[in-house]
Amino acid sequence: MIRDQDTMNALLDTISRFVRERLVPNEEWVAEHDAIPEDLVAEMKAIGLFGLTIPEQYGGLGVTMEEEALVMIEMGKTSPAFRSLFGTTVGIGSQGILMDGSDEQKERYLPRLASGEIMASFALTEPEAGSDAASLRTSAVLDGEDYVINGTKRFITNAPGAGIFTLMARTDPGTPGAAGISAFIVEADTPGISLGKPDRKMGQRGAHTCDVVFEDCRVPARNIIGGKPGVGFKTAMKVLDKGRIHIAAICVGVAERMLNDALNYAMERKQFGERIADFQLVQAMLADSRTELYAARCMVMDAARRRDLGENVSTEASCCKLYASEMCGRVADRAVQIHGGAGYMTEYGIERFYRDVRLFRIYEGTSQIQQLVIARNMIREAG
Ligand code: COS
């Protein structure tokens, strides 16, 4: 749902210009220095990117899912590390508070997230609990007015800069699986929290992940999201349903960028006396990419609109994440292929995207987890 077409067009125009004029020229610098320049961070805040999904009453832009998808497609047209900087704050880090939090929790945290004063991270994954998220072991034991938290969270995006964590921990050790899990808002400066050393990754340099270790970390019981223990896994799953549409939209944007780069290269590069764009085998790669991209875009927009209408889009979100991330991987592969030897060379930039997009098929649920969610939902509905 688009609330006001003129306002939306103006926002998309601003973001598109920002991406073209400010982010694209800095892609190499970011990859080389593994950091995003402070002036760009300030500009992202000024545009409102950190508050994109946070309701206007808390100082955000309060975009709908359809609007969010359109913004993410634009943001996708540059290095994914830029999106990652605000992605956890507008996405998986904040949405649990928005969906299930109390009014007091919303008032306390959302305005500071919306302004970019603090960032939010989502702490679900553990060394022994990745795809099988419900097996997480981090414990939260009630002691007076507080829960005492112990455990390690792994590969936590934006943890080094986070002001708060949306943390999933087991409050009921006697209940295995999902029902014993609660979601907490944990302030990052709480004593007992330490960060692991920064992870060294295949790609997305400039986006930072690390372990977050909780040792006898005391968190007030009132920081359980919505004040309800035992429903944290469901909160996490609802957050991920939305996050999967967001990631799929990013995949569409990055694929558009890579395909555009490949097309431009194919129209300039000459071999056998002709532009390589005029060779049918190259055209096949361009055409297949365009077709798959169009399909992914249609899927994302449809799922986003349905979600805005209040439908349960768990299946559609997984379909989008599965298809768009796999599509993005295929487009990256073809884009490198069209560039030939240049595709393998750092200076052309396309090999960087090839490495960057590999993550999309893994995080916020691997392709295999999406397949599992889709098939399970089908079976449940048929039964
Ligand atoms: N929305 C709301 N509730 C949901 C839900 C959703 N999308 N998906 C599951 N639930 C509920 C279920 O209804 C169930 O509740 P009841 O027992 O009351 O019925 C509960 O959550 C447990 O669900 P389920 O039995 O399906 O859990 P499983 O452990 O079998 O598996 C998967 C769940 C595999 C789908 C889940 O662990 C998953 O998504 N894993 C990937 C995790 C991930 O994406 N990690 C990335 C980290 S963030 S980068």
PDB file of all heavy atoms in Angstrom, residues 92 122 124-125 130-135 157 178 233-235 237-238 240-241 244 312 314 362-366 369-370 372-373 376 380, ligand 1:
ATOM      1  N   ILE A  92      14.930  -6.462  11.652  1.00  0.00           N
ATOM      2  CA  ILE A  92      14.793  -7.480  12.695  1.00  0.00           C
ATOM      3  C   ILE A  92      15.106  -6.984  14.107  1.00  0.00           C
ATOM      4  O   ILE A  92      14.605  -7.547  15.066  1.00  0.00           O
ATOM      5  CB  ILE A  92      15.632  -8.741  12.342  1.00  0.00           C
ATOM      6  CG1 ILE A  92      17.092  -8.377  12.042  1.00  0.00           C
ATOM      7  CG2 ILE A  92      15.021  -9.466  11.156  1.00  0.00           C
ATOM      8  CD1 ILE A  92      17.970  -9.580  11.689  1.00  0.00           C
ATOM      9  N   PHE A 122      19.683  -7.941  16.307  1.00  0.00           N
ATOM     10  CA  PHE A 122      18.794  -9.085  16.559  1.00  0.00           C
ATOM     11  C   PHE A 122      19.671 -10.260  16.971  1.00  0.00           C
ATOM     12  O   PHE A 122      20.514 -10.703  16.180  1.00  0.00           O
ATOM     13  CB  PHE A 122      18.047  -9.385  15.254  1.00  0.00           C
ATOM     14  CG  PHE A 122      17.012 -10.464  15.298  1.00  0.00           C
ATOM     15  CD1 PHE A 122      15.798 -10.264  15.951  1.00  0.00           C
ATOM     16  CD2 PHE A 122      17.218 -11.674  14.629  1.00  0.00           C
ATOM     17  CE1 PHE A 122      14.813 -11.246  15.935  1.00  0.00           C
ATOM     18  CE2 PHE A 122      16.234 -12.653  14.613  1.00  0.00           C
ATOM     19  CZ  PHE A 122      15.032 -12.438  15.259  1.00  0.00           C
ATOM     20  N   LEU A 124      19.611 -13.875  17.879  1.00  0.00           N
ATOM     21  CA  LEU A 124      18.926 -15.180  17.924  1.00  0.00           C
ATOM     22  C   LEU A 124      19.952 -16.307  17.782  1.00  0.00           C
ATOM     23  O   LEU A 124      20.030 -17.207  18.614  1.00  0.00           O
ATOM     24  CB  LEU A 124      17.890 -15.237  16.782  1.00  0.00           C
ATOM     25  CG  LEU A 124      17.152 -16.554  16.559  1.00  0.00           C
ATOM     26  CD1 LEU A 124      16.218 -16.860  17.728  1.00  0.00           C
ATOM     27  CD2 LEU A 124      16.305 -16.503  15.263  1.00  0.00           C
ATOM     28  N   THR A 125      20.770 -16.235  16.737  1.00  0.00           N
ATOM     29  CA  THR A 125      21.707 -17.308  16.400  1.00  0.00           C
ATOM     30  C   THR A 125      22.743 -17.544  17.499  1.00  0.00           C
ATOM     31  O   THR A 125      23.208 -16.593  18.141  1.00  0.00           O
ATOM     32  CB  THR A 125      22.421 -16.953  15.074  1.00  0.00           C
ATOM     33  OG1 THR A 125      21.422 -16.790  14.076  1.00  0.00           O
ATOM     34  CG2 THR A 125      23.417 -18.014  14.645  1.00  0.00           C
ATOM     35  N   GLY A 130      21.606 -22.497  14.784  1.00  0.00           N
ATOM     36  CA  GLY A 130      21.533 -21.640  13.609  1.00  0.00           C
ATOM     37  C   GLY A 130      20.163 -21.803  12.969  1.00  0.00           C
ATOM     38  O   GLY A 130      19.200 -21.166  13.395  1.00  0.00           O
ATOM     39  N   SER A 131      20.055 -22.723  12.005  1.00  0.00           N
ATOM     40  CA  SER A 131      18.751 -22.990  11.386  1.00  0.00           C
ATOM     41  C   SER A 131      17.755 -23.502  12.420  1.00  0.00           C
ATOM     42  O   SER A 131      16.566 -23.178  12.373  1.00  0.00           O
ATOM     43  CB  SER A 131      18.910 -24.028  10.267  1.00  0.00           C
ATOM     44  OG  SER A 131      19.594 -23.451   9.179  1.00  0.00           O
ATOM     45  N   ASP A 132      18.241 -24.309  13.350  1.00  0.00           N
ATOM     46  CA  ASP A 132      17.356 -24.836  14.405  1.00  0.00           C
ATOM     47  C   ASP A 132      17.308 -23.834  15.560  1.00  0.00           C
ATOM     48  O   ASP A 132      17.814 -24.068  16.653  1.00  0.00           O
ATOM     49  CB  ASP A 132      17.885 -26.198  14.880  1.00  0.00           C
ATOM     50  CG  ASP A 132      16.973 -26.835  15.914  1.00  0.00           C
ATOM     51  OD1 ASP A 132      15.847 -26.311  16.125  1.00  0.00           O
ATOM     52  OD2 ASP A 132      17.373 -27.845  16.512  1.00  0.00           O
ATOM     53  N   ALA A 133      16.661 -22.713  15.270  1.00  0.00           N
ATOM     54  CA  ALA A 133      16.681 -21.597  16.226  1.00  0.00           C
ATOM     55  C   ALA A 133      16.022 -21.967  17.561  1.00  0.00           C
ATOM     56  O   ALA A 133      16.426 -21.471  18.618  1.00  0.00           O
ATOM     57  CB  ALA A 133      15.980 -20.399  15.606  1.00  0.00           C
ATOM     58  N   ALA A 134      15.031 -22.853  17.515  1.00  0.00           N
ATOM     59  CA  ALA A 134      14.295 -23.185  18.753  1.00  0.00           C
ATOM     60  C   ALA A 134      15.139 -23.996  19.739  1.00  0.00           C
ATOM     61  O   ALA A 134      14.710 -24.218  20.873  1.00  0.00           O
ATOM     62  CB  ALA A 134      13.015 -23.940  18.413  1.00  0.00           C
ATOM     63  N   SER A 135      16.322 -24.419  19.311  1.00  0.00           N
ATOM     64  CA  SER A 135      17.169 -25.189  20.232  1.00  0.00           C
ATOM     65  C   SER A 135      18.149 -24.284  20.989  1.00  0.00           C
ATOM     66  O   SER A 135      19.072 -24.763  21.637  1.00  0.00           O
ATOM     67  CB  SER A 135      17.941 -26.274  19.475  1.00  0.00           C
ATOM     68  OG  SER A 135      18.953 -25.665  18.691  1.00  0.00           O
ATOM     69  N   THR A 157      24.804  -9.195  13.460  1.00  0.00           N
ATOM     70  CA  THR A 157      25.023  -8.020  12.609  1.00  0.00           C
ATOM     71  C   THR A 157      24.841  -6.733  13.413  1.00  0.00           C
ATOM     72  O   THR A 157      23.870  -6.600  14.155  1.00  0.00           O
ATOM     73  CB  THR A 157      24.043  -8.041  11.418  1.00  0.00           C
ATOM     74  OG1 THR A 157      24.236  -9.266  10.710  1.00  0.00           O
ATOM     75  CG2 THR A 157      24.298  -6.874  10.466  1.00  0.00           C
ATOM     76  N   ALA A 178      10.507 -24.199  21.246  1.00  0.00           N
ATOM     77  CA  ALA A 178      10.080 -22.811  21.107  1.00  0.00           C
ATOM     78  C   ALA A 178       9.374 -22.247  22.344  1.00  0.00           C
ATOM     79  O   ALA A 178       9.547 -21.076  22.684  1.00  0.00           O
ATOM     80  CB  ALA A 178       9.157 -22.705  19.893  1.00  0.00           C
ATOM     81  N   PHE A 233       9.872 -16.848  20.786  1.00  0.00           N
ATOM     82  CA  PHE A 233      10.168 -17.508  19.515  1.00  0.00           C
ATOM     83  C   PHE A 233       9.175 -17.053  18.451  1.00  0.00           C
ATOM     84  O   PHE A 233       9.542 -16.798  17.303  1.00  0.00           O
ATOM     85  CB  PHE A 233      10.126 -19.034  19.685  1.00  0.00           C
ATOM     86  CG  PHE A 233      10.596 -19.773  18.463  1.00  0.00           C
ATOM     87  CD1 PHE A 233      11.945 -19.922  18.195  1.00  0.00           C
ATOM     88  CD2 PHE A 233       9.682 -20.317  17.563  1.00  0.00           C
ATOM     89  CE1 PHE A 233      12.382 -20.600  17.059  1.00  0.00           C
ATOM     90  CE2 PHE A 233      10.102 -20.993  16.428  1.00  0.00           C
ATOM     91  CZ  PHE A 233      11.453 -21.136  16.185  1.00  0.00           C
ATOM     92  N   LYS A 234       7.932 -16.927  18.872  1.00  0.00           N
ATOM     93  CA  LYS A 234       6.906 -16.474  17.909  1.00  0.00           C
ATOM     94  C   LYS A 234       7.193 -15.041  17.464  1.00  0.00           C
ATOM     95  O   LYS A 234       7.032 -14.710  16.289  1.00  0.00           O
ATOM     96  CB  LYS A 234       5.513 -16.566  18.532  1.00  0.00           C
ATOM     97  CG  LYS A 234       5.060 -18.007  18.645  1.00  0.00           C
ATOM     98  CD  LYS A 234       3.645 -18.125  19.151  1.00  0.00           C
ATOM     99  CE  LYS A 234       3.384 -19.602  19.415  1.00  0.00           C
ATOM    100  NZ  LYS A 234       2.121 -19.872  20.052  1.00  0.00           N
ATOM    101  N   THR A 235       7.602 -14.214  18.426  1.00  0.00           N
ATOM    102  CA  THR A 235       7.975 -12.838  18.056  1.00  0.00           C
ATOM    103  C   THR A 235       9.084 -12.893  17.004  1.00  0.00           C
ATOM    104  O   THR A 235       9.016 -12.224  15.967  1.00  0.00           O
ATOM    105  CB  THR A 235       8.466 -12.051  19.298  1.00  0.00           C
ATOM    106  OG1 THR A 235       7.411 -11.987  20.247  1.00  0.00           O
ATOM    107  CG2 THR A 235       8.913 -10.642  18.941  1.00  0.00           C
ATOM    108  N   MET A 237       9.868 -15.242  14.904  1.00  0.00           N
ATOM    109  CA  MET A 237       9.400 -15.755  13.610  1.00  0.00           C
ATOM    110  C   MET A 237       8.596 -14.696  12.853  1.00  0.00           C
ATOM    111  O   MET A 237       8.715 -14.552  11.640  1.00  0.00           O
ATOM    112  CB  MET A 237       8.535 -17.012  13.819  1.00  0.00           C
ATOM    113  CG  MET A 237       9.307 -18.235  14.264  1.00  0.00           C
ATOM    114  SD  MET A 237      10.585 -18.742  13.088  1.00  0.00           S
ATOM    115  CE  MET A 237      12.058 -18.434  14.022  1.00  0.00           C
ATOM    116  N   LYS A 238       7.783 -13.945  13.583  1.00  0.00           N
ATOM    117  CA  LYS A 238       6.998 -12.882  12.928  1.00  0.00           C
ATOM    118  C   LYS A 238       7.927 -11.802  12.360  1.00  0.00           C
ATOM    119  O   LYS A 238       7.724 -11.298  11.260  1.00  0.00           O
ATOM    120  CB  LYS A 238       6.019 -12.253  13.937  1.00  0.00           C
ATOM    121  CG  LYS A 238       4.836 -13.152  14.256  1.00  0.00           C
ATOM    122  CD  LYS A 238       3.771 -12.410  15.056  1.00  0.00           C
ATOM    123  CE  LYS A 238       4.157 -12.260  16.503  1.00  0.00           C
ATOM    124  NZ  LYS A 238       3.159 -11.639  17.358  1.00  0.00           N
ATOM    125  N   LEU A 240      10.978 -12.281  11.454  1.00  0.00           N
ATOM    126  CA  LEU A 240      11.695 -12.839  10.293  1.00  0.00           C
ATOM    127  C   LEU A 240      10.796 -12.897   9.054  1.00  0.00           C
ATOM    128  O   LEU A 240      11.267 -12.692   7.937  1.00  0.00           O
ATOM    129  CB  LEU A 240      12.261 -14.222  10.622  1.00  0.00           C
ATOM    130  CG  LEU A 240      13.525 -14.188  11.486  1.00  0.00           C
ATOM    131  CD1 LEU A 240      13.891 -15.593  11.975  1.00  0.00           C
ATOM    132  CD2 LEU A 240      14.713 -13.585  10.743  1.00  0.00           C
ATOM    133  N   ASP A 241       9.506 -13.150   9.252  1.00  0.00           N
ATOM    134  CA  ASP A 241       8.587 -13.137   8.092  1.00  0.00           C
ATOM    135  C   ASP A 241       8.689 -11.795   7.367  1.00  0.00           C
ATOM    136  O   ASP A 241       8.772 -11.744   6.141  1.00  0.00           O
ATOM    137  CB  ASP A 241       7.132 -13.323   8.546  1.00  0.00           C
ATOM    138  CG  ASP A 241       6.782 -14.792   8.794  1.00  0.00           C
ATOM    139  OD1 ASP A 241       7.561 -15.663   8.380  1.00  0.00           O
ATOM    140  OD2 ASP A 241       5.726 -15.045   9.410  1.00  0.00           O
ATOM    141  N   ARG A 244      12.175 -11.203   5.772  1.00  0.00           N
ATOM    142  CA  ARG A 244      12.456 -11.965   4.551  1.00  0.00           C
ATOM    143  C   ARG A 244      11.958 -11.230   3.304  1.00  0.00           C
ATOM    144  O   ARG A 244      12.565 -11.329   2.236  1.00  0.00           O
ATOM    145  CB  ARG A 244      11.873 -13.373   4.691  1.00  0.00           C
ATOM    146  CG  ARG A 244      12.700 -14.196   5.672  1.00  0.00           C
ATOM    147  CD  ARG A 244      12.059 -15.470   6.169  1.00  0.00           C
ATOM    148  NE  ARG A 244      12.960 -16.123   7.149  1.00  0.00           N
ATOM    149  CZ  ARG A 244      12.601 -17.106   7.963  1.00  0.00           C
ATOM    150  NH1 ARG A 244      11.381 -17.582   7.940  1.00  0.00           N
ATOM    151  NH2 ARG A 244      13.482 -17.624   8.800  1.00  0.00           N
ATOM    152  N   ASN A 312      -1.794 -13.157   6.253  1.00  0.00           N
ATOM    153  CA  ASN A 312      -0.640 -13.896   6.760  1.00  0.00           C
ATOM    154  C   ASN A 312       0.232 -14.264   5.560  1.00  0.00           C
ATOM    155  O   ASN A 312      -0.194 -15.016   4.683  1.00  0.00           O
ATOM    156  CB  ASN A 312      -1.126 -15.156   7.484  1.00  0.00           C
ATOM    157  CG  ASN A 312       0.034 -16.003   7.989  1.00  0.00           C
ATOM    158  OD1 ASN A 312       1.189 -15.802   7.599  1.00  0.00           O
ATOM    159  ND2 ASN A 312      -0.256 -16.951   8.844  1.00  0.00           N
ATOM    160  N   SER A 314       3.438 -15.577   5.664  1.00  0.00           N
ATOM    161  CA  SER A 314       4.595 -16.389   6.046  1.00  0.00           C
ATOM    162  C   SER A 314       5.116 -17.190   4.835  1.00  0.00           C
ATOM    163  O   SER A 314       6.314 -17.177   4.537  1.00  0.00           O
ATOM    164  CB  SER A 314       4.186 -17.318   7.194  1.00  0.00           C
ATOM    165  OG  SER A 314       5.226 -18.195   7.467  1.00  0.00           O
ATOM    166  N   ILE A 362      21.821 -17.162   2.775  1.00  0.00           N
ATOM    167  CA  ILE A 362      22.122 -17.787   4.063  1.00  0.00           C
ATOM    168  C   ILE A 362      21.397 -17.114   5.229  1.00  0.00           C
ATOM    169  O   ILE A 362      20.737 -17.789   6.025  1.00  0.00           O
ATOM    170  CB  ILE A 362      23.651 -17.768   4.301  1.00  0.00           C
ATOM    171  CG1 ILE A 362      24.365 -18.561   3.193  1.00  0.00           C
ATOM    172  CG2 ILE A 362      23.991 -18.328   5.685  1.00  0.00           C
ATOM    173  CD1 ILE A 362      25.875 -18.448   3.210  1.00  0.00           C
ATOM    174  N   TYR A 363      21.543 -15.792   5.345  1.00  0.00           N
ATOM    175  CA  TYR A 363      21.013 -15.190   6.589  1.00  0.00           C
ATOM    176  C   TYR A 363      19.503 -14.945   6.524  1.00  0.00           C
ATOM    177  O   TYR A 363      18.898 -15.039   5.480  1.00  0.00           O
ATOM    178  CB  TYR A 363      21.818 -13.975   7.034  1.00  0.00           C
ATOM    179  CG  TYR A 363      21.768 -12.694   6.226  1.00  0.00           C
ATOM    180  CD1 TYR A 363      21.008 -12.557   5.078  1.00  0.00           C
ATOM    181  CD2 TYR A 363      22.504 -11.595   6.656  1.00  0.00           C
ATOM    182  CE1 TYR A 363      20.989 -11.358   4.384  1.00  0.00           C
ATOM    183  CE2 TYR A 363      22.477 -10.392   5.967  1.00  0.00           C
ATOM    184  CZ  TYR A 363      21.711 -10.287   4.824  1.00  0.00           C
ATOM    185  OH  TYR A 363      21.685  -9.108   4.142  1.00  0.00           O
ATOM    186  N   GLU A 364      18.948 -14.676   7.696  1.00  0.00           N
ATOM    187  CA  GLU A 364      17.488 -14.586   7.881  1.00  0.00           C
ATOM    188  C   GLU A 364      16.782 -15.843   7.348  1.00  0.00           C
ATOM    189  O   GLU A 364      15.664 -15.780   6.829  1.00  0.00           O
ATOM    190  CB  GLU A 364      16.936 -13.287   7.288  1.00  0.00           C
ATOM    191  CG  GLU A 364      17.589 -12.091   7.984  1.00  0.00           C
ATOM    192  CD  GLU A 364      16.799 -10.806   7.967  1.00  0.00           C
ATOM    193  OE1 GLU A 364      15.586 -10.846   7.793  1.00  0.00           O
ATOM    194  OE2 GLU A 364      17.437  -9.750   8.171  1.00  0.00           O
ATOM    195  N   GLY A 365      17.470 -16.981   7.496  1.00  0.00           N
ATOM    196  CA  GLY A 365      16.929 -18.262   7.055  1.00  0.00           C
ATOM    197  C   GLY A 365      17.534 -18.683   5.735  1.00  0.00           C
ATOM    198  O   GLY A 365      17.382 -17.988   4.727  1.00  0.00           O
ATOM    199  N   THR A 366      18.236 -19.814   5.729  1.00  0.00           N
ATOM    200  CA  THR A 366      18.856 -20.306   4.489  1.00  0.00           C
ATOM    201  C   THR A 366      17.771 -20.655   3.468  1.00  0.00           C
ATOM    202  O   THR A 366      16.587 -20.791   3.818  1.00  0.00           O
ATOM    203  CB  THR A 366      19.655 -21.599   4.770  1.00  0.00           C
ATOM    204  OG1 THR A 366      18.729 -22.581   5.277  1.00  0.00           O
ATOM    205  CG2 THR A 366      20.773 -21.384   5.776  1.00  0.00           C
ATOM    206  N   ILE A 369      15.857 -23.550   4.650  1.00  0.00           N
ATOM    207  CA  ILE A 369      14.839 -23.253   5.677  1.00  0.00           C
ATOM    208  C   ILE A 369      13.597 -22.655   5.018  1.00  0.00           C
ATOM    209  O   ILE A 369      12.466 -22.957   5.393  1.00  0.00           O
ATOM    210  CB  ILE A 369      15.419 -22.329   6.782  1.00  0.00           C
ATOM    211  CG1 ILE A 369      16.360 -23.125   7.696  1.00  0.00           C
ATOM    212  CG2 ILE A 369      14.319 -21.667   7.615  1.00  0.00           C
ATOM    213  CD1 ILE A 369      15.704 -24.225   8.525  1.00  0.00           C
ATOM    214  N   GLN A 370      13.801 -21.825   4.000  1.00  0.00           N
ATOM    215  CA  GLN A 370      12.620 -21.259   3.305  1.00  0.00           C
ATOM    216  C   GLN A 370      11.812 -22.386   2.653  1.00  0.00           C
ATOM    217  O   GLN A 370      10.581 -22.390   2.719  1.00  0.00           O
ATOM    218  CB  GLN A 370      13.028 -20.227   2.229  1.00  0.00           C
ATOM    219  CG  GLN A 370      13.991 -19.138   2.672  1.00  0.00           C
ATOM    220  CD  GLN A 370      13.593 -18.409   3.935  1.00  0.00           C
ATOM    221  OE1 GLN A 370      12.413 -18.271   4.246  1.00  0.00           O
ATOM    222  NE2 GLN A 370      14.569 -17.960   4.699  1.00  0.00           N
ATOM    223  N   LEU A 372      11.645 -25.410   3.608  1.00  0.00           N
ATOM    224  CA  LEU A 372      10.985 -26.141   4.695  1.00  0.00           C
ATOM    225  C   LEU A 372       9.737 -25.388   5.179  1.00  0.00           C
ATOM    226  O   LEU A 372       8.669 -25.988   5.359  1.00  0.00           O
ATOM    227  CB  LEU A 372      12.023 -26.280   5.802  1.00  0.00           C
ATOM    228  CG  LEU A 372      11.778 -27.064   7.051  1.00  0.00           C
ATOM    229  CD1 LEU A 372      13.115 -27.630   7.532  1.00  0.00           C
ATOM    230  CD2 LEU A 372      11.203 -26.189   8.142  1.00  0.00           C
ATOM    231  N   VAL A 373       9.848 -24.083   5.350  1.00  0.00           N
ATOM    232  CA  VAL A 373       8.700 -23.286   5.820  1.00  0.00           C
ATOM    233  C   VAL A 373       7.563 -23.360   4.793  1.00  0.00           C
ATOM    234  O   VAL A 373       6.396 -23.582   5.141  1.00  0.00           O
ATOM    235  CB  VAL A 373       9.119 -21.811   6.058  1.00  0.00           C
ATOM    236  CG1 VAL A 373       7.902 -20.916   6.296  1.00  0.00           C
ATOM    237  CG2 VAL A 373      10.085 -21.695   7.235  1.00  0.00           C
ATOM    238  N   ARG A 376       6.015 -26.932   4.734  1.00  0.00           N
ATOM    239  CA  ARG A 376       5.259 -27.192   5.967  1.00  0.00           C
ATOM    240  C   ARG A 376       3.929 -26.456   5.970  1.00  0.00           C
ATOM    241  O   ARG A 376       2.905 -27.002   6.355  1.00  0.00           O
ATOM    242  CB  ARG A 376       6.061 -26.666   7.156  1.00  0.00           C
ATOM    243  CG  ARG A 376       7.015 -27.627   7.757  1.00  0.00           C
ATOM    244  CD  ARG A 376       7.413 -26.936   9.036  1.00  0.00           C
ATOM    245  NE  ARG A 376       8.486 -27.611   9.720  1.00  0.00           N
ATOM    246  CZ  ARG A 376       8.940 -27.202  10.885  1.00  0.00           C
ATOM    247  NH1 ARG A 376       8.442 -26.125  11.459  1.00  0.00           N
ATOM    248  NH2 ARG A 376       9.901 -27.849  11.492  1.00  0.00           N
ATOM    249  N   ARG A 380       0.283 -28.086   6.139  1.00  0.00           N
ATOM    250  CA  ARG A 380      -0.642 -27.714   7.226  1.00  0.00           C
ATOM    251  C   ARG A 380      -1.973 -27.235   6.631  1.00  0.00           C
ATOM    252  O   ARG A 380      -3.044 -27.649   7.060  1.00  0.00           O
ATOM    253  CB  ARG A 380      -0.007 -26.621   8.094  1.00  0.00           C
ATOM    254  CG  ARG A 380      -0.824 -26.337   9.349  1.00  0.00           C
ATOM    255  CD  ARG A 380      -0.165 -25.313  10.265  1.00  0.00           C
ATOM    256  NE  ARG A 380       1.235 -25.627  10.571  1.00  0.00           N
ATOM    257  CZ  ARG A 380       2.256 -24.812  10.366  1.00  0.00           C
ATOM    258  NH1 ARG A 380       2.060 -23.620   9.833  1.00  0.00           N
ATOM    259  NH2 ARG A 380       3.481 -25.172  10.698  1.00  0.00           N
TER     260      ARG A 380
HETATM  261  N1  COS B   1       4.689 -16.576  12.840  1.00  0.00           N
HETATM  262  C1  COS B   1       4.151 -16.802  14.065  1.00  0.00           C
HETATM  263  N2  COS B   1       4.380 -17.943  14.774  1.00  0.00           N
HETATM  264  C2  COS B   1       5.161 -18.867  14.199  1.00  0.00           C
HETATM  265  C3  COS B   1       5.752 -18.701  12.937  1.00  0.00           C
HETATM  266  C4  COS B   1       5.475 -17.498  12.249  1.00  0.00           C
HETATM  267  N3  COS B   1       5.995 -17.253  11.041  1.00  0.00           N
HETATM  268  N4  COS B   1       6.488 -19.785  12.642  1.00  0.00           N
HETATM  269  C5  COS B   1       6.377 -20.608  13.686  1.00  0.00           C
HETATM  270  N5  COS B   1       5.577 -20.061  14.639  1.00  0.00           N
HETATM  271  C6  COS B   1       5.162 -20.648  15.910  1.00  0.00           C
HETATM  272  C7  COS B   1       4.490 -21.976  15.643  1.00  0.00           C
HETATM  273  O1  COS B   1       3.102 -21.806  15.409  1.00  0.00           O
HETATM  274  C8  COS B   1       4.744 -22.723  16.933  1.00  0.00           C
HETATM  275  O2  COS B   1       3.845 -22.314  17.930  1.00  0.00           O
HETATM  276  P1  COS B   1       2.781 -23.386  18.579  1.00  0.00           P
HETATM  277  O3  COS B   1       3.647 -24.460  19.160  1.00  0.00           O
HETATM  278  O4  COS B   1       2.064 -22.574  19.600  1.00  0.00           O
HETATM  279  O5  COS B   1       1.961 -23.825  17.447  1.00  0.00           O
HETATM  280  C9  COS B   1       6.125 -22.216  17.352  1.00  0.00           C
HETATM  281  O6  COS B   1       6.304 -20.964  16.688  1.00  0.00           O
HETATM  282  C10 COS B   1       7.220 -23.152  16.951  1.00  0.00           C
HETATM  283  O7  COS B   1       7.177 -23.325  15.552  1.00  0.00           O
HETATM  284  P2  COS B   1       7.755 -24.614  14.834  1.00  0.00           P
HETATM  285  O8  COS B   1       7.246 -25.839  15.556  1.00  0.00           O
HETATM  286  O9  COS B   1       7.455 -24.505  13.391  1.00  0.00           O
HETATM  287  O10 COS B   1       9.318 -24.468  15.123  1.00  0.00           O
HETATM  288  P3  COS B   1      10.518 -25.350  14.588  1.00  0.00           P
HETATM  289  O11 COS B   1      11.538 -25.346  15.618  1.00  0.00           O
HETATM  290  O12 COS B   1      10.033 -26.677  14.096  1.00  0.00           O
HETATM  291  O13 COS B   1      11.063 -24.645  13.245  1.00  0.00           O
HETATM  292  C11 COS B   1      11.913 -22.946  11.801  1.00  0.00           C
HETATM  293  C12 COS B   1      10.965 -23.378  12.922  1.00  0.00           C
HETATM  294  C13 COS B   1      12.839 -24.005  11.263  1.00  0.00           C
HETATM  295  C14 COS B   1      11.043 -22.443  10.678  1.00  0.00           C
HETATM  296  C15 COS B   1      12.706 -21.808  12.471  1.00  0.00           C
HETATM  297  O14 COS B   1      13.549 -22.336  13.461  1.00  0.00           O
HETATM  298  C16 COS B   1      13.483 -20.956  11.524  1.00  0.00           C
HETATM  299  O15 COS B   1      12.941 -20.065  10.869  1.00  0.00           O
HETATM  300  N6  COS B   1      14.811 -21.177  11.479  1.00  0.00           N
HETATM  301  C17 COS B   1      15.703 -20.313  10.782  1.00  0.00           C
HETATM  302  C18 COS B   1      16.154 -19.264  11.731  1.00  0.00           C
HETATM  303  C19 COS B   1      16.698 -18.082  11.024  1.00  0.00           C
HETATM  304  O16 COS B   1      16.112 -17.552  10.096  1.00  0.00           O
HETATM  305  N7  COS B   1      17.840 -17.626  11.497  1.00  0.00           N
HETATM  306  C20 COS B   1      18.439 -16.461  10.996  1.00  0.00           C
HETATM  307  C21 COS B   1      18.782 -15.624  12.148  1.00  0.00           C
HETATM  308  S1  COS B   1      18.554 -13.939  11.872  1.00  0.00           S
HETATM  309  S2  COS B   1      19.936 -13.424  10.618  1.00  0.00           S
END
